[in-house]
Amino acid sequence: MSAYVPGPVMVAAGCGGTGRELEPFAGPDGLAGLDFVTRSLTLDPRAGGAGPRLVEVPGGLVNAVGLPNPGLEHFLATELPWLVRAGARVLVSIAGATMGEYADLARRLSRAPGVAGLEVNLGAPDEVGAGLFEVREPYHAASVIAAVRREFPSDRPVLAKLRPDVSRVVEGARSCHEAGATAVVIGNAVPAAFPDGRAGGLSGPAVGPVALRCVAEVHRALPAVPVIACGGVRDLTSARTYLAVGASAVQVGTALLHDPTTVARLRADLAAHHQEDA
Amino acid sequence: MPVPEVRTPVHVEGEVVATKRVGAHRHLTLTAPGVPERFRAGNFVAVSVPGHVARRALWIHRVRASSAFGPTLDVVLEARGAGTSWLAAQPVGARVPITGPLGRAFALPKDAVSCLLVGEGYAAAPLFPLAERLRERGCAVSLVVSAPDESRLLSALEARRAVRSVTVLTADGSVGQRGRVADHVDELLRRADADVVYATGPAEVLRASAAAAERAGAWSQVGLEVSALCGTGLCHGCPLPVVGEDGVDRVVRACTEGPVVRGDRVRWDAL
Ligand SMILES: Cc1cc2nc3c(=O)[nH]c(=O)nc-3n(C[C@H](O)[C@H](O)[C@H](O)COP(=O)(O)OP(=O)(O)OC[C@H]3O[C@@H](n4cnc5c(N)ncnc54)[C@H](O)[C@@H]3O)c2cc1C
Ligand SMILES: Cc1cc2nc3c(=O)[nH]c(=O)nc-3n(C[C@H](O)[C@H](O)[C@H](O)COP(=O)(O)O)c2cc1C
Ligand code: FES
């Protein structure tokens, strides 16, 4: 059995809180049936960076949140069971400092009840600064995917989340797919800086056209690889722009921070739109 | 003190139904269906500003259960940056997306104890509905409103009914006693014989109030304004360093685990 490709609307990593905070705004069914990507989890707890972690800029925001998370054990004991009870399809985003950590995370998550799939964070805007495994080379990214795939059942999806860097993204998508990724997620926050020069990642409407270019090129070059688009999705128009160039699903990140009902609205709008088409 | 239950917030389109300039502040009255009904003193709302991704967090100053416009809520704005300036300029009839009520509210004492409420500038706003709740419980409430100068002082007139005493402090002495909260809070605490101190305002006011409470063996609760991007708990962008109940250092989200927390739990030096 091959793994399903999530969608058409997903919650992007790090922008849905623990799920509980999103539930009041997620529509009549709450999180039930929603593809929810968790914030990236690491083996050990991480406090995250010192403030300010986010700053508003024209067209979006710059973040250096620093992957705050309670570590795998605490997540498995508290957040995961809650998400599963709420009916969410839980895709756990994982991040590691070494290849071994990625494999470890995948193995332990494969045994946790209710994990629908994994998203491997291979596109952090500043992985070295964040203390993550360096995956700038597509070869390294693919090795991580292969290591994760070995530990995670093949009937559940493993998504490779890549940086929207047009010079490398086709090669990255190809290698990750060959290494066993069910689909690729393009992209992530784009390397940028805070007003004081500190490293961060740009997200929101401003990065939409950047990710769109990458999604279009990957789909053109690799039509058989399912592509999930992520960057600046905020309404029916921005979502349909990605679907029109070949994306099979979209993720919503920054828009949820501005309006927590964005995912509920987009799900309803897309469903209505499909009905009109039919 | 019991931890207040967390009530489910809503995201709605609100409407400005009244706007009034008071000194350097702008008081807005808004409809926001569902928000006034769920409100507890210490909650805030997050407001969207066109063309800006980040939300603006605002204390709820008062709610009316009914008016010609239905239930309403009041906020007090001090226009500084782009968003607060835009909001302050909105006329009656303007529509504004509002999320709320958000955050942990003030915990109320079970018994009719003596309470000192300390608020600086616009941030004194949530202390007014708090004073009313405390008064309903038979608590003796002493209110301190402070500000750099008279123009940024929240008028305590409305609160007089609910409180035993009001003290006015301005840094420049333009009205009331001259000085800062830190200079007077120990004496005010002693005079009020307070068992609980509630404080809102800039961090130095909260820290001074929490420290004074600790010296006097009183409880304290502080309402912190940590720079907030979403205000709803989604982004983890509002780190608040605390010491947990178990004595372990943690970083929590100010907008969900706060903005009201026990003063003795805040790691002020790490803020
Ligand atoms: C719990 C809470 C309650 C608040 N209540 C009030 C109130 O009742 N009245 C009032 O006038 N102001 C209040 N503030 C502060 C108000 O939210 C900020 O002044 C405002 O976000 C800054 O917006 P701006 O448009 O003026 O400035 P800009 O510089 O345009 O702000 C841009 C963004 O920076 C962040 N930011 C900058 N300064 C602050 C700050 N001091 N606090 C939080 N975020 C900040 C926000 O994400 C904001 O959206 C409150 C803040 C918090 C956290
Ligand atoms: C506050 C914040 C936290 C994020 N945390 C993560 C994370 O933990 N893991 C990850 O892979 N991406 C993370 N991202 C990136 C988003 O998931 C998304 O890929 C990116 O922001 C672009 O999409 P958007 O424009 O819809 O936000 C984060 C983004 C933001 C703004
Ligand atoms: S401001 Fe986003 S989590 Fe607190």
Side-chain angles (χ1 to χ4, degrees):
Chain A
M1 195 168 79
S2 69
Y4 80 100
V5 177
V9 181
M10 307 169 63
V11 176
C15 297
T18 65
R20 280 178 206 247
E21 303 80 13
L22 185 62
E23 193 189 33
F25 308 108
D29 301 330
L31 301 185
L34 179 63
D35 287 300
F36 182 90
V37 183
T38 68
R39 64 194 183 295
S40 290
L41 285 167
T42 48
L43 273 180
D44 298 320
R46 286 173 64 119
R53 289 178 172 180
L54 297 136
V55 64
E56 178 176 271
V57 296
L61 54 91
V62 174
N63 89 73
V65 179
L67 305 184
N69 79 91
L72 184 67
E73 213 149 296
H74 187 271
F75 171 80
L76 292 177
T78 60
E79 293 181 24
L80 177 65
W82 186 90
L83 283 165
V84 172
R85 254 198 320 280
R89 290 204 286 193
V90 188
L91 295 135
V92 181
S93 170
I94 57 175
T98 63
M99 192 101 80
E101 274 187 28
Y102 275 106
D104 229 21
L105 284 158
R107 179 168 53 251
R108 293 175 60 186
L109 283 161
S110 73
R111 302 191 199 116
V115 174
L118 300 182
E119 182 179 278
V120 187
N121 184 352
L122 300 171
D126 179 23
E127 69 230 5
V128 178
L132 300 183
F133 187 59
E134 239 236 65
V135 286
R136 214 150 299 194
E137 293 302 320
Y139 163 77
H140 287 139
S143 316
V144 171
I145 293 296
V148 166
R149 198 69 280 190
R150 269 196 294 279
E151 304 291 350
F152 200 74
S154 60
D155 61 349
R156 285 187 271 164
V158 169
L159 312 178
K161 184 173 180 183
L162 304 175
R163 182 180 285 136
D165 170 0
V166 72
S167 66
R168 308 306 291 274
V169 75
V170 171
E171 205 186 333
R174 182 187 291 115
S175 344
C176 287
H177 189 61
E178 283 169 359
T182 316
V184 291
V185 179
I186 300 169
N188 206 312
V190 173
F194 281 75
D196 64 2
R198 197 159 50 98
L202 176 68
S203 67
V207 306
V210 177
L212 183 65
R213 168 82 185 273
C214 295
V215 169
E217 299 236 344
V218 168
H219 182 68
R220 235 187 330 265
L222 313 164
V225 178
V227 177
I228 297 168
C230 180
V233 174
R234 59 198 175 280
D235 54 16
L236 186 60
T237 307
S238 48
R240 292 193 59 224
T241 306
Y242 280 120
L243 299 176
V245 299
S248 59
V250 295
Q251 295 191 347
V252 183
T254 300
L256 279 170
L257 313 182
H258 176 74
D259 175 350
T261 63
T262 305
V263 160
R265 220 166 356 89
L266 190 52
R267 283 174 101 189
D269 288 353
L270 270 177
H273 190 80
H274 281 153
Q275 249 160 18
E276 269 169 44
D277 279 355
Chain B
M1 262 181 272
V3 176
E5 68 180 293
V6 179
R7 298 191 169 189
T8 315
V10 294
H11 179 82
V12 294
E13 187 171 74
E15 186 181 338
V16 177
V17 297
T19 166
K20 187 168 77 173
R21 195 174 68 85
V22 182
H25 295 151
R26 172 67 61 172
H27 291 233
L28 290 186
T29 303
L30 298 140
T31 60
V35 181
E37 294 87 332
R38 291 172 166 81
F39 163 76
R40 294 253 180 125
N43 288 149
F44 67 98
V45 289
V47 171
S48 292
V49 174
H52 292 264
V53 168
R55 316 295 307 278
R56 268 63 182 178
L58 302 169
W59 297 112
I60 300 175
H61 179 38
R62 71 182 284 186
V63 299
R64 287 186 200 79
S66 61
S67 75
F69 312 98
T72 59
L73 63 88
D74 285 11
V75 294
V76 181
L77 285 161
E78 182 184 315
R80 279 151 298 173
T84 45
S85 303
W86 179 86
L87 258 171
Q90 290 314 294
V92 167
R95 305 204 165 248
V96 189
I98 295 177
T99 314
L102 295 166
R104 267 186 211 283
F106 292 112
L108 303 173
K110 279 202 273 308
D111 305 317
V113 297
S114 175
C115 303
L116 180 71
L117 279 51
V118 182
E120 177 147 312
Y122 66 80
L127 299 182
F128 290 64
L130 173 66
E132 284 173 28
R133 291 294 83 71
L134 292 170
R135 163 73 198 285
E136 283 164 15
R137 293 181 169 232
C139 295
V141 179
S142 306
L143 175 66
V144 183
V145 284
S146 75
D149 56 52
E150 187 176 8
S151 75
R152 278 175 282 175
L153 192 70
L154 215 51
S155 164
L157 272 181
E158 278 182 46
R160 295 240 178 231
R161 212 167 36 89
V163 305
R164 191 175 62 178
S165 77
V166 174
T167 305
V168 173
L169 290 179
T170 50
D172 66 354
S174 50
V175 58
Q177 279 178 262
R178 179 192 297 270
R180 303 213 156 260
V181 166
D183 308 328
H184 295 279
V185 67
D186 285 289
E187 169 58 21
L188 291 163
L189 218 161
R190 210 163 19 248
R191 235 190 289 153
D193 193 21
D195 304 294
V196 186
V197 177
Y198 294 95
T200 48
E204 64 271 14
V205 169
L206 309 188
R207 186 174 188 168
S209 303
E214 207 154 334
R215 281 192 290 274
W219 292 86
S220 71
Q221 289 192 36
V222 296
L224 283 144
E225 291 184 19
V226 174
S227 181
L229 194 111
C230 73
T232 46
L234 299 177
C235 75
H236 285 85
C238 52
L240 171 57
V242 296
V243 183
E245 302 273 340
D246 51 7
V248 176
D249 285 1
R250 283 208 180 77
V251 179
V252 298
R253 287 166 294 179
C255 69
T256 50
E257 277 93 337
V260 176
V261 294
R262 269 172 54 177
D264 59 339
R265 294 260 174 249
V266 179
R267 291 188 280 134
W268 298 101
D269 287 327
L271 202 61

